[in-house]
Amino acid sequence: KQWYQRRVAITAGEMAYVNFLSINQKAPLQEYKTEFPVLDSTPKIRKLASHDRDMYEKGVRAFVSFIQSYTKHMCKAIFILKELDMEGLVESFALLKVPKMPELKNRTIELNLSVEVDVEKIPYSDKIREKARLKRLELGPILDKDQKNKRFKNNPSWTKKKEQKVKKEKRKFKKIVAKSKVVETMD
């Protein structure tokens, strides 16, 4: 048998998950205490994110992914979103702004930022991506509903496609008939 070591960080409210894993999944867990000091690197990460849009977006995506996976976990009785320390989570992901998402709809989360950062003005460190972002900003907001509908109206409907297909088959038939006449005259 091969044994694997994994470390899982769980809150006091999630201790029932330890029992669940040992009984249902046959994976007993042992408590592991850290013996090294935990350093608060959040200010450094926030500073990096305030100067690099890619870093900022990755933090937001990681936070959104964590919240969505937490709400969709199969042990909904153990993993309750309302009991999560959202301010602590936002702090741990070093977010500069709390993303708008349905799971956080009725919650007010306060950010403890030392300096206010306008996230719309954070540039990419990659010059090509930054140039593309600035171009998108110049063009304005994403297509509105009318423009989206126009995009689909340019495509021919299925009845027109059907008519085109019938015309194409007629042309093929005429070519075949013309070739057969040429072959008959040669004989």
Side-chain angles (χ1 to χ4, degrees):
K1 246 183 183 181
Q2 191 172 4
W3 296 93
Y4 296 97
Q5 284 189 343
R6 302 280 186 258
R7 295 205 170 101
V8 180
I10 54 177
T11 63
E14 298 166 352
M15 286 303 290
Y17 189 60
V18 174
N19 295 334
F20 171 80
L21 285 176
S22 63
I23 295 169
N24 294 354
Q25 306 295 321
K26 308 273 190 275
L29 296 180
Q30 297 173 348
E31 189 173 351
Y32 178 82
K33 295 198 179 211
T34 58
E35 296 177 10
F36 54 88
V38 179
L39 302 174
D40 185 20
S41 58
T42 304
K44 290 179 183 176
I45 297 171
R46 278 190 174 151
K47 188 175 182 181
L48 287 171
S50 67
H51 296 294
D52 183 9
R53 184 170 207 80
D54 190 42
M55 173 87 79
Y56 165 72
E57 288 176 349
K58 284 179 181 177
V60 171
R61 270 189 267 140
F63 176 78
V64 169
S65 177
F66 176 82
I67 296 296
Q68 288 176 344
S69 66
Y70 199 87
T71 57
K72 293 175 183 169
H73 197 281
M74 67 180 190
C75 299
K76 292 183 190 282
I78 298 170
F79 297 101
I80 303 168
L81 188 66
K82 291 179 184 177
E83 294 178 4
L84 265 180
D85 174 23
M86 282 298 169
E87 282 81 12
L89 264 177
V90 168
E91 185 80 16
S92 68
F93 281 93
L95 297 181
L96 301 171
K97 178 183 171 187
V98 180
K100 292 181 181 178
M101 49 191 300
E103 293 86 353
L104 305 177
K105 191 176 182 181
N106 298 324
R107 305 225 16 204
T108 54
I109 302 168
E110 292 189 28
L111 285 172
N112 299 325
L113 296 175
S114 57
V115 179
E116 281 295 318
V117 178
D118 185 7
V119 294
E120 300 301 321
K121 293 182 180 178
I122 299 174
Y124 283 107
S125 60
D126 181 17
K127 292 177 183 178
I128 297 169
R129 288 181 74 187
E130 179 60 17
K131 191 174 181 181
R133 182 184 81 86
L134 292 173
K135 192 171 186 178
R136 280 194 311 270
L137 287 174
E138 285 177 14
L139 294 175
I142 299 174
L143 299 174
D144 62 352
K145 290 182 182 178
D146 295 333
Q147 288 174 327
K148 284 182 182 177
N149 291 338
K150 285 179 186 176
R151 183 178 60 188
F152 292 114
K153 287 180 184 176
N154 291 340
N155 295 335
S157 65
W158 65 275
T159 53
K160 288 182 183 177
K161 284 184 180 179
K162 192 174 180 181
E163 290 171 6
Q164 288 173 349
K165 193 174 183 180
V166 170
K167 286 181 183 178
K168 187 177 180 181
E169 288 175 0
K170 284 182 182 178
R171 285 194 305 263
K172 276 186 177 179
F173 181 73
K174 286 180 182 178
K175 283 182 182 178
I176 292 171
V177 170
K179 282 183 181 178
S180 65
K181 287 182 180 177
V182 169
V183 171
E184 287 176 10
T185 56
M186 292 173 100
D187 292 333

